[in-house]
Amino acid sequence: MSDLADLYQQVILDHNRRPRNRGKLPTANRVAHGDNPSCGDQCSVYLRLDGDRIGDISFDGSGCAISQASASLMTTQLKGKTAAEAEKMFGEFRDIVTTGQAPEEISDVGAFAGVHAFPARIKCATLGWHAALNALKGDPVTATTETHKD
Ligand code: ZN
Protein backbone atom coordinates (compact mmCIF):
# COMPACT_ATOMS: atom_id res chain seq x y z
CA MET A 1 0.00 0.00 0.00
CA SER A 2 1.21 3.44 -0.84
CA ASP A 3 0.68 6.23 1.64
CA LEU A 4 1.16 9.97 1.50
CA ALA A 5 4.83 9.62 2.33
CA ASP A 6 5.24 7.64 -0.87
CA LEU A 7 3.06 10.00 -2.85
CA TYR A 8 4.99 13.09 -1.94
CA GLN A 9 8.35 11.72 -2.80
CA GLN A 10 11.52 13.71 -2.78
CA VAL A 11 11.33 14.62 -6.45
CA ILE A 12 7.84 16.00 -6.03
CA LEU A 13 8.79 17.95 -2.92
CA ASP A 14 11.83 19.34 -4.63
CA HIS A 15 9.90 20.52 -7.68
CA ASN A 16 7.31 22.03 -5.39
CA ARG A 17 9.89 23.92 -3.34
CA ARG A 18 11.95 25.00 -6.32
CA PRO A 19 9.69 25.00 -9.38
CA ARG A 20 11.58 24.90 -12.67
CA ASN A 21 10.66 27.29 -15.48
CA ARG A 22 7.97 29.01 -13.48
CA GLY A 23 6.50 32.30 -14.65
CA LYS A 24 5.31 33.74 -17.92
CA LEU A 25 7.55 33.23 -20.89
CA PRO A 26 7.96 36.60 -22.65
CA THR A 27 8.85 34.96 -25.96
CA ALA A 28 5.98 32.46 -25.91
CA ASN A 29 4.00 32.05 -29.12
CA ARG A 30 1.64 29.42 -27.70
CA VAL A 31 -0.26 29.56 -24.44
CA ALA A 32 -2.90 27.34 -22.88
CA HIS A 33 -4.64 27.28 -19.56
CA GLY A 34 -5.64 24.19 -17.62
CA ASP A 35 -8.21 23.99 -14.86
CA ASN A 36 -8.84 21.15 -12.42
CA PRO A 37 -11.89 22.27 -10.44
CA SER A 38 -12.13 19.02 -8.46
CA CYS A 39 -8.94 19.99 -6.65
CA GLY A 40 -8.74 23.72 -7.35
CA ASP A 41 -5.59 23.48 -9.47
CA GLN A 42 -4.78 25.97 -12.19
CA CYS A 43 -1.95 25.80 -14.65
CA SER A 44 -0.97 27.95 -17.60
CA VAL A 45 1.66 26.67 -19.98
CA TYR A 46 3.67 29.03 -22.14
CA LEU A 47 5.80 27.74 -24.92
CA ARG A 48 7.78 29.00 -27.82
CA LEU A 49 7.67 26.81 -30.87
CA ASP A 50 10.78 27.05 -33.01
CA GLY A 51 9.68 25.29 -36.20
CA ASP A 52 8.26 22.04 -34.92
CA ARG A 53 10.29 21.98 -31.73
CA ILE A 54 9.60 23.43 -28.30
CA GLY A 55 12.34 26.01 -28.06
CA ASP A 56 11.33 27.13 -24.60
CA ILE A 57 8.58 26.37 -22.13
CA SER A 58 7.35 27.65 -18.81
CA PHE A 59 4.33 27.29 -16.56
CA ASP A 60 2.48 29.34 -14.03
CA GLY A 61 -0.30 28.43 -11.70
CA SER A 62 -1.48 27.47 -8.28
CA GLY A 63 -2.81 24.38 -6.63
CA CYS A 64 -1.74 21.25 -4.85
CA ALA A 65 1.80 19.98 -4.69
CA ILE A 66 1.14 17.24 -7.23
CA SER A 67 -0.19 19.59 -9.89
CA GLN A 68 2.57 22.15 -9.54
CA ALA A 69 5.42 19.68 -9.21
CA SER A 70 4.16 17.75 -12.22
CA ALA A 71 3.99 20.92 -14.34
CA SER A 72 7.49 21.89 -13.20
CA LEU A 73 8.91 18.49 -14.06
CA MET A 74 7.05 18.49 -17.37
CA THR A 75 8.74 21.71 -18.49
CA THR A 76 12.14 20.10 -17.92
CA GLN A 77 11.07 17.07 -19.98
CA LEU A 78 9.49 18.85 -22.95
CA LYS A 79 12.07 21.47 -23.82
CA GLY A 80 13.55 20.70 -27.23
CA LYS A 81 10.89 18.11 -28.08
CA THR A 82 8.52 18.04 -31.05
CA ALA A 83 4.75 17.93 -30.63
CA ALA A 84 4.75 14.25 -31.56
CA GLU A 85 7.43 13.50 -28.99
CA ALA A 86 5.53 15.51 -26.38
CA GLU A 87 2.38 13.50 -27.02
CA LYS A 88 4.29 10.25 -26.71
CA MET A 89 5.86 11.40 -23.44
CA PHE A 90 2.46 12.40 -22.09
CA GLY A 91 1.17 8.92 -22.96
CA GLU A 92 4.02 7.39 -21.00
CA PHE A 93 3.46 9.73 -18.07
CA ARG A 94 -0.26 9.00 -18.05
CA ASP A 95 0.53 5.27 -17.99
CA ILE A 96 2.82 5.81 -15.00
CA VAL A 97 0.25 7.72 -12.93
CA THR A 98 -2.66 5.43 -13.83
CA THR A 99 -0.88 2.08 -13.46
CA GLY A 100 1.84 2.88 -10.94
CA GLN A 101 4.31 1.09 -13.22
CA ALA A 102 7.31 3.35 -13.58
CA PRO A 103 10.09 2.56 -16.01
CA GLU A 104 13.28 2.67 -13.98
CA GLU A 105 15.23 4.65 -16.54
CA ILE A 106 12.93 7.66 -16.18
CA SER A 107 13.48 8.29 -12.50
CA ASP A 108 12.06 11.79 -12.07
CA VAL A 109 8.87 11.02 -13.93
CA GLY A 110 8.67 7.71 -12.09
CA ALA A 111 8.27 9.61 -8.84
CA PHE A 112 4.69 10.23 -9.86
CA ALA A 113 3.89 6.51 -9.93
CA GLY A 114 2.57 6.80 -6.35
CA VAL A 115 -0.25 8.97 -7.67
CA HIS A 116 -2.01 5.89 -9.05
CA ALA A 117 -3.06 4.94 -5.51
CA PHE A 118 -5.03 8.20 -5.34
CA PRO A 119 -7.24 8.22 -8.46
CA ALA A 120 -8.61 11.68 -7.71
CA ARG A 121 -5.06 13.06 -7.95
CA ILE A 122 -4.40 11.73 -11.45
CA LYS A 123 -6.07 14.83 -12.86
CA CYS A 124 -3.70 16.93 -10.75
CA ALA A 125 -0.69 15.14 -12.18
CA THR A 126 -1.83 15.41 -15.80
CA LEU A 127 -3.16 18.99 -15.69
CA GLY A 128 0.03 20.66 -16.89
CA TRP A 129 0.50 18.07 -19.62
CA HIS A 130 -3.01 18.65 -20.94
CA ALA A 131 -2.33 22.38 -21.03
CA ALA A 132 0.97 21.84 -22.83
CA LEU A 133 -0.61 19.63 -25.48
CA ASN A 134 -3.41 22.13 -25.96
CA ALA A 135 -0.82 24.85 -26.39
CA LEU A 136 0.98 22.74 -28.99
CA LYS A 137 -2.26 22.19 -30.88
CA GLY A 138 -3.06 25.88 -30.67
CA ASP A 139 -6.47 25.19 -29.17
CA PRO A 140 -8.71 28.22 -28.61
CA VAL A 141 -8.22 27.97 -24.83
CA THR A 142 -5.14 30.09 -25.42
CA ALA A 143 -7.50 33.05 -25.40
CA THR A 144 -8.08 32.65 -21.67
CA THR A 145 -4.53 33.70 -20.83
CA GLU A 146 -5.21 37.38 -20.92
CA THR A 147 -7.93 37.08 -18.32
CA HIS A 148 -6.07 34.60 -16.15
CA LYS A 149 -5.81 36.12 -12.72
CA ASP A 150 -2.83 35.40 -10.51
ZN1 ZN B 1 -4.56 18.94 -7.23
Side-chain angles (χ1 to χ4, degrees):
M1 276 297 274
S2 295
D3 57 17
L4 275 176
D6 291 321
L7 181 59
Y8 292 95
Q9 286 180 39
Q10 203 53 45
V11 170
I12 296 176
L13 285 171
D14 181 55
H15 275 276
N16 208 42
R17 268 198 300 262
R18 298 185 300 116
R20 319 299 201 274
N21 307 305
R22 182 167 196 144
K24 283 186 181 175
L25 185 68
T27 57
N29 52 20
R30 296 289 182 92
V31 185
H33 179 68
D35 226 337
N36 179 24
S38 65
C39 183
D41 308 319
Q42 308 232 346
C43 182
S44 295
V45 171
Y46 306 84
L47 58 88
R48 193 187 75 237
L49 270 185
D50 294 335
D52 63 348
R53 285 195 183 271
I54 300 170
D56 212 349
I57 180 169
S58 75
F59 82 101
D60 207 356
S62 60
C64 69
I66 297 292
S67 68
Q68 303 304 300
S70 174
S72 168
L73 177 62
M74 177 198 71
T75 62
T76 69
Q77 303 277 312
L78 289 188
K79 199 165 170 178
K81 301 293 191 296
T82 65
E85 287 167 342
E87 260 186 75
K88 184 167 176 282
M89 291 173 78
F90 175 45
E92 289 165 1
F93 181 77
R94 199 171 38 200
D95 284 348
I96 290 170
V97 296
T98 53
T99 67
Q101 307 284 316
E104 280 173 25
E105 69 271 20
I106 314 176
S107 56
D108 277 7
V109 176
F112 286 85
V115 170
H116 91 283
F118 305 87
R121 312 307 293 278
I122 290 170
K123 280 183 183 173
C124 306
T126 57
L127 178 65
W129 287 87
H130 281 298
L133 292 190
N134 281 342
L136 281 167
K137 289 172 191 154
D139 283 359
V141 282
T142 54
T144 61
T145 331
E146 293 306 308
T147 56
H148 174 53
K149 47 185 187 293
D150 293 311

Short mmCIF file of all heavy atoms in Angstrom, two decimals, residues 36 38-41 63-67 120-121 123-125, ligand 1:
data_model
loop_
_atom_site.label_atom_id
_atom_site.label_comp_id
_atom_site.label_asym_id
_atom_site.label_seq_id
_atom_site.Cartn_x
_atom_site.Cartn_y
_atom_site.Cartn_z
N ASN A 36 -8.41 22.40 -13.05
CA ASN A 36 -8.84 21.15 -12.42
C ASN A 36 -9.71 21.48 -11.23
O ASN A 36 -9.26 21.49 -10.09
CB ASN A 36 -7.61 20.33 -12.00
CG ASN A 36 -8.00 19.03 -11.32
OD1 ASN A 36 -9.09 18.52 -11.53
ND2 ASN A 36 -7.11 18.50 -10.50
N SER A 38 -11.91 19.99 -9.53
CA SER A 38 -12.13 19.02 -8.46
C SER A 38 -11.11 19.18 -7.35
O SER A 38 -11.35 18.79 -6.22
CB SER A 38 -12.10 17.60 -9.02
OG SER A 38 -10.83 17.28 -9.52
N CYS A 39 -9.96 19.79 -7.68
CA CYS A 39 -8.94 19.99 -6.65
C CYS A 39 -8.61 21.46 -6.47
O CYS A 39 -7.99 21.86 -5.49
CB CYS A 39 -7.68 19.21 -7.02
SG CYS A 39 -6.34 19.27 -5.83
N GLY A 40 -9.04 22.30 -7.43
CA GLY A 40 -8.74 23.72 -7.35
C GLY A 40 -7.41 24.09 -7.97
O GLY A 40 -6.86 25.15 -7.69
N ASP A 41 -6.88 23.21 -8.83
CA ASP A 41 -5.59 23.48 -9.47
C ASP A 41 -5.76 24.29 -10.74
O ASP A 41 -6.71 24.08 -11.49
CB ASP A 41 -4.89 22.17 -9.84
CG ASP A 41 -4.79 21.21 -8.69
OD1 ASP A 41 -4.52 21.67 -7.58
OD2 ASP A 41 -4.99 20.01 -8.92
N GLY A 63 -2.08 25.61 -6.91
CA GLY A 63 -2.81 24.38 -6.63
C GLY A 63 -2.00 23.47 -5.75
O GLY A 63 -1.04 23.89 -5.11
N CYS A 64 -2.38 22.21 -5.75
CA CYS A 64 -1.74 21.25 -4.85
C CYS A 64 -0.32 20.93 -5.31
O CYS A 64 0.07 21.24 -6.43
CB CYS A 64 -2.57 19.97 -4.78
SG CYS A 64 -2.57 19.02 -6.30
N ALA A 65 0.40 20.30 -4.42
CA ALA A 65 1.80 19.98 -4.69
C ALA A 65 1.95 19.09 -5.92
O ALA A 65 2.88 19.28 -6.72
CB ALA A 65 2.41 19.28 -3.48
N ILE A 66 1.04 18.15 -6.09
CA ILE A 66 1.14 17.24 -7.23
C ILE A 66 1.03 17.99 -8.55
O ILE A 66 1.81 17.80 -9.47
CB ILE A 66 0.03 16.16 -7.17
CG1 ILE A 66 0.19 15.30 -5.92
CG2 ILE A 66 0.03 15.30 -8.42
CD1 ILE A 66 1.39 14.42 -5.91
N SER A 67 0.04 18.88 -8.64
CA SER A 67 -0.19 19.59 -9.89
C SER A 67 0.99 20.50 -10.25
O SER A 67 1.42 20.56 -11.40
CB SER A 67 -1.49 20.40 -9.82
OG SER A 67 -1.38 21.48 -8.91
N ALA A 120 -8.15 10.30 -7.58
CA ALA A 120 -8.61 11.68 -7.71
C ALA A 120 -7.45 12.61 -8.04
O ALA A 120 -7.65 13.71 -8.56
CB ALA A 120 -9.29 12.15 -6.43
N ARG A 121 -6.22 12.19 -7.72
CA ARG A 121 -5.06 13.06 -7.95
C ARG A 121 -4.47 12.90 -9.35
O ARG A 121 -3.55 13.63 -9.70
CB ARG A 121 -3.97 12.79 -6.91
CG ARG A 121 -4.47 12.74 -5.48
CD ARG A 121 -5.27 13.97 -5.09
NE ARG A 121 -4.49 15.19 -5.04
CZ ARG A 121 -3.72 15.54 -4.00
NH1 ARG A 121 -3.65 14.78 -2.96
NH2 ARG A 121 -3.05 16.67 -4.02
N LYS A 123 -5.80 13.59 -12.11
CA LYS A 123 -6.07 14.83 -12.86
C LYS A 123 -5.10 15.93 -12.47
O LYS A 123 -4.77 16.80 -13.27
CB LYS A 123 -7.51 15.29 -12.58
CG LYS A 123 -8.54 14.56 -13.39
CD LYS A 123 -9.92 15.15 -13.11
CE LYS A 123 -11.00 14.39 -13.86
NZ LYS A 123 -12.33 14.84 -13.45
N CYS A 124 -4.69 15.95 -11.21
CA CYS A 124 -3.70 16.93 -10.75
C CYS A 124 -2.39 16.73 -11.50
O CYS A 124 -1.78 17.67 -11.98
CB CYS A 124 -3.45 16.79 -9.26
SG CYS A 124 -4.93 16.86 -8.23
N ALA A 125 -1.99 15.47 -11.59
CA ALA A 125 -0.69 15.14 -12.18
C ALA A 125 -0.66 15.40 -13.68
O ALA A 125 0.39 15.71 -14.25
CB ALA A 125 -0.33 13.69 -11.89
ZN ZN B 1 -4.56 18.94 -7.23
#
